[in-house]
Amino acid sequence: MRKLNQLILGACTLLALACSPQPKQEQLVSAYGTPYHWEQGTIVVDTPERPAGQESAIGLTAPKLKVVRVGFVGLGMRGPGAVERFTHIPGVQIVALCDYEQERAENCQKYLKAASLPKAAIYSGAEGYKELCQREDIDLVYIATDWDHHFPVAKCALENGKHAAIEVPSAMDLKQCWELIDLSEKTRKHCMILENCCYDWFEMNTLNMAQNGVFGEVLRAQGAYIHNLDDFWPYYWKNGKEDKLGWRLRYNMEHRGDVYATHGLGPVAQALDIHRGDRMTTLVAMDTKSVHGKELVEKASGEKCENFLNGDHTTTLIRTANGKVIEIQHNVMNPQPYNRLYQLTGTKGFANKYPVEGYAVDAAQMKASGVQPKVDNLSSHGFMPDAEMKALVEKYQHPILKKYGEMAKEVGGHGGMDFIMDSRLVYCLQNGLPLDMDVYDLAEWCCLAELGALSMDNNCAAVQFPDFTRGHWNDVKGFKHAFASPEDEAEAEKAAKEATAKLKEQGAKEWAAEK
């Protein structure tokens, strides 16, 4: 009887607790300005509700464009190369060129002249991009400005009904991520992150292997951006004589977290089907103290640097909904060989790009993958011999590389991967297909900066990812590149070549008239 009374009392207590008002969770604000709260020892950043009238942009398509009319904004370090590459892509018209400094925009006319393409309109000044975005004869705004201007230019482009393609990092905090998501969903325009490392040869072939089960189930992945920038710091744009640091060094000084995560994260996110059957749920981040960053500021400014927020080396660990783990590193300060890591660990095999490029798969798995080993004792205890690796790569050469690889090596751009990225963007727009990287990829790959800072500012606590897809991360099963039917592709290519021929005829006349 006593036991029964205790059970009844316990049940009544639980019921009373459930019915009583719960203590209000304390709302805090991150260093980047985002509200958050704690739940059972984890920092939680809320996912805002989707505004009325908006729909998910998963698999977003737009009407086919026979000719992709482009305006370029930001023609300093990365922009001119993009302009030159686009002159090699059929079915593209370069309509406008914009930079804060007019001379840099004018200088890019030389690429159009070399390709016999018509001159582009020139825009400059602090708000020149607004005039460019308001033009009715532009379909795509290609943004290669400094980081501080990625978001405002992209926002302006989307608000004016243009597709936006943004260099990395495409959004600098969660607020910008959500605004770009809402704009893409509302306008039904593409908002693509220009993550060129997803198009490198090793990454693409390895992705194809992973998608065909060569490594079994991929459980763990690594990526990084380890690149000593000592030779580059002096060349980042400075806004006037009083600006002694340049935009990139200043941004690193003022912001903690992995501010340049996407080169390492993008390729492994595709291999793990992020927001196409899995999603990143929790991260923990750590950084070293800042040593070299402070030295750089003091050398450039001649003044003591008391507070440089970005640690010399940042490490972020991420867990996914399906129990996978991702490790991402960032270091632009210390003397190390260039390294993006790119490593996949699966239940049946292993892939690694840096510092040793190779695969580890045993003989049985090689045979199951359709490649006959040339050695009898092939094991996964070491990297496979060159002959086996060559045979595996030939078997699983990515179809995108088959289409663009040779021309990409001629045109260039980080060994050709920039050209492949640009060509795929144009291909998808001309064929009315979903882009390889959408606005949710953009948000998920860029949010490590703010979420990582939030973790480190709170003694490296666990931080929960918001769901940028708002519940749609599992609608698509597996990451895939979209392709048109052979007939539709041939039709689009024919129209593109015909359009380019007419543009070259017009351009040749314009440039001849100037002589």
Side-chain angles (χ1 to χ4, degrees), residues 205-221:
N205 289 331
T206 303
L207 174 63
N208 197 27
M209 293 176 200
Q211 291 172 333
N212 283 279
V214 173
F215 311 115
E217 183 179 4
V218 178
L219 298 176
R220 193 178 191 280

Side-chain angles (χ1 to χ4, degrees), residues 348-350 359-366 373-385 388:
K348 295 182 179 180
F350 174 84
Y359 302 103
V361 176
D362 65 23
Q365 184 61 12
M366 278 282 281
K374 295 182 179 180
V375 294
D376 296 329
N377 59 345
L378 183 67
S379 82
S380 57
H381 289 284
F383 288 115
M384 63 178 59
E388 270 64 26

